[in-house]
Amino acid sequence: MTRVLGIETSCDETAAAVVARNADGSPHILANIVLSQIEEHAAFGGVVPEIAARAHVEALDGVIEAALQEAGLTLKDVDAIAATAGPGLIGGLIVGLTTARAMAAATGKPLIPVNHLEGHALTARLTDGLPFPYLLLLVSGGHTQIVHVAGIGDYQRWASTIDDALGEAFDKTAKLLGLPYPGGPNVEKAAEGGDPRRFAFPRPLKGEARPDFSFSGLKTAVRRAATERAPLSPKDVSDICASFQKAVTETLADRVARSLERFRTLHPSDSEPALVVAGGVAANAAIRAALEELCTDKGFRLVAAPLDLCGDNAAMIAWAGLERLEAGIVEDAASFAPRPRWPLDETTNPLFGGGKRGAKA
Ligand code: KG4
Ligand code: ZN
């Protein structure tokens, strides 16, 4: 049995978790504690890096202790300590990595720096034991990418956003409409019962051969609709959200279809090809439903992260650390410095933008 303690502090969640691979090979989450800082940032309408870093300093020790306690373990019982080392806000990354480094030094356990995006990418192996290769749609506050996942550390980006990340589009739409932070879940809630046909918002890049995404035009169209009709009634807000979400799901299905076709061509003998959707936006029910429909249509199996593992958490970091430990593919922790920008695939040139907020993942 291998057990790894994971630490996640790259944005506005302070999180610690313990995961294990049982002797029979099955994965197991022993503890998964996530302390959200939403209340600290809500008044500012978004994450304030300095407040986030300070909150991580204050909360992290207690969160780690709570995770070990829930797992019924002490630090001596784990085989390694994994911590998010990027991408993310530098203050939080320093807090998490330094804490992990100190704990590793005090116990003699290995320290494993983990790429936060790899955490999202490998979650489907923790929850569903999914074998390689598979296709990953990563949709979060800072990233919108399609990645071909062939193995641990073997990632090829096939598509990205050329401007805003999808979560960013949700968050900006919420702000324009006066909905509270965080935007995504509030836009989803407001869309319930709204008329998705009332506003003809654009479907950016729909029908184009390139596999990429674009969301800034959609946001501009939402702004225009909102300013033209101000002051907005609750019905207006609801209809705008429903129409926005409809445009998002249609666009996503069209864009993702390109990469499903490419995957099929590359792996013709894969009898059950899988699409994984992960990241905060993967919690959206309309998006999950649209992807389910697309996958059924294309003969793919959709593996969507369970809701509590869509957003940022440390179970995914601990798991990525465990997979790296087992495979013997571990970064040189002694000299590893946190990386605010750290693409999963360092060989494919980034598109312009790639999510302006960038640091978040
Ligand atoms: O992965 P995540 O927790 O943090 C990083 O960006 O790393 O993703 C957060 C993003 C935010 O933009 C948030 O608005 C969005 O995920 N989000 C949602 C939903 N829940 C969270 N977007 C749409 N619908 C949701 N239900
Ligand atoms: Zn994330």
Side-chain angles (χ1 to χ4, degrees):
M1 186 188 211
T2 315
R3 296 190 197 102
V4 174
L5 169 72
I7 294 172
E8 158 63 39
T9 53
S10 68
C11 192
D12 58 346
E13 274 92 16
T14 312
V18 183
V19 303
R21 183 173 326 258
N22 295 328
D24 66 0
S26 61
H28 186 189
I29 299 177
L30 298 172
N32 184 25
I33 310 278
V34 181
L35 190 72
S36 170
Q37 301 178 2
I38 283 179
E39 280 175 21
E40 269 108 318
H41 302 287
F44 303 94
V47 179
V48 184
E50 291 76 9
I51 294 177
R54 190 164 313 164
H56 288 308
V57 170
E58 282 167 12
L60 186 57
D61 288 357
V63 169
I64 293 171
E65 229 166 81
L68 285 169
Q69 199 174 10
E70 190 172 305
L73 301 172
T74 69
L75 206 46
K76 281 202 227 68
D77 304 316
V78 303
D79 297 289
I81 300 158
T84 304
L89 300 171
I90 186 68
L93 295 174
I94 290 174
V95 174
L97 197 57
T98 307
T99 302
R101 183 165 275 140
M103 285 166 43
T107 56
K109 310 276 179 187
L111 166 67
I112 309 174
V114 169
N115 182 316
H116 177 93
L117 303 177
E118 183 169 65
H120 283 301
L122 299 179
T123 297
R125 292 171 56 77
L126 167 64
T127 56
D128 293 72
L130 194 66
F132 297 122
Y134 54 85
L135 199 62
L136 166 73
L137 171 64
L138 176 64
V139 275
S140 69
H143 291 80
T144 303
Q145 307 184 339
I146 295 181
V147 180
H148 180 263
V149 181
I152 311 293
D154 191 351
Y155 309 109
Q156 202 184 9
R157 198 176 58 245
W158 282 4
S160 335
T161 178
I162 57 174
D163 40 56
D164 293 352
L166 183 52
E168 198 176 356
F170 269 93
D171 293 338
K172 285 180 178 169
T173 294
K175 222 172 188 173
L176 278 168
L177 299 176
L179 297 171
Y181 165 85
N186 287 303
V187 168
E188 181 174 18
K189 211 188 294 161
E192 278 168 28
D195 178 2
R197 285 171 307 271
R198 177 159 162 215
F199 296 93
F201 292 141
R203 274 67 169 151
L205 299 182
K206 190 173 175 194
E208 293 203 16
R210 69 182 296 184
D212 298 306
F213 303 92
S214 165
F215 295 106
S216 71
L218 184 52
K219 171 195 65 195
T220 307
V222 168
R223 175 180 294 123
R224 197 171 310 124
T227 32
E228 273 170 10
R229 278 165 191 80
L232 299 174
S233 69
K235 166 99 175 92
D236 292 332
V237 171
S238 184
D239 290 349
I240 290 176
C241 287
S243 302
F244 166 81
Q245 225 171 236
K246 181 83 187 142
V248 164
T249 52
E250 276 189 30
T251 307
L252 265 186
D254 173 76
R255 307 286 69 223
V256 174
R258 295 272 174 281
S259 294
L260 295 186
E261 283 152 18
R262 181 173 172 191
F263 189 92
R264 196 173 269 300
T265 308
L266 189 63
H267 304 287
S269 55
D270 191 340
S271 60
E272 205 185 26
L275 172 71
V276 170
V277 59
V281 185
N284 185 288
I287 290 175
R288 291 165 91 98
L291 293 172
E292 191 69 67
E293 196 183 320
L294 172 71
C295 282
T296 305
D297 190 42
K298 298 278 183 196
F300 273 64
R301 167 184 169 209
L302 179 70
V303 181
L307 291 184
D308 61 333
L309 296 181
C310 282
D312 291 343
N313 65 85
M316 69 181 192
I317 303 303
W319 178 255
L322 187 148
E323 292 237 49
R324 284 196 165 259
L325 184 72
E326 286 178 345
I329 316 171
V330 177
E331 305 276 353
D332 178 10
S335 61
F336 199 94
R339 292 183 59 179
R341 287 191 172 269
W342 185 5
L344 249 192
D345 167 7
E346 308 218 46
T347 58
T348 306
N349 285 333
L351 291 171
F352 170 75
K356 284 182 198 135
R357 202 152 73 198
K360 266 193 85 176

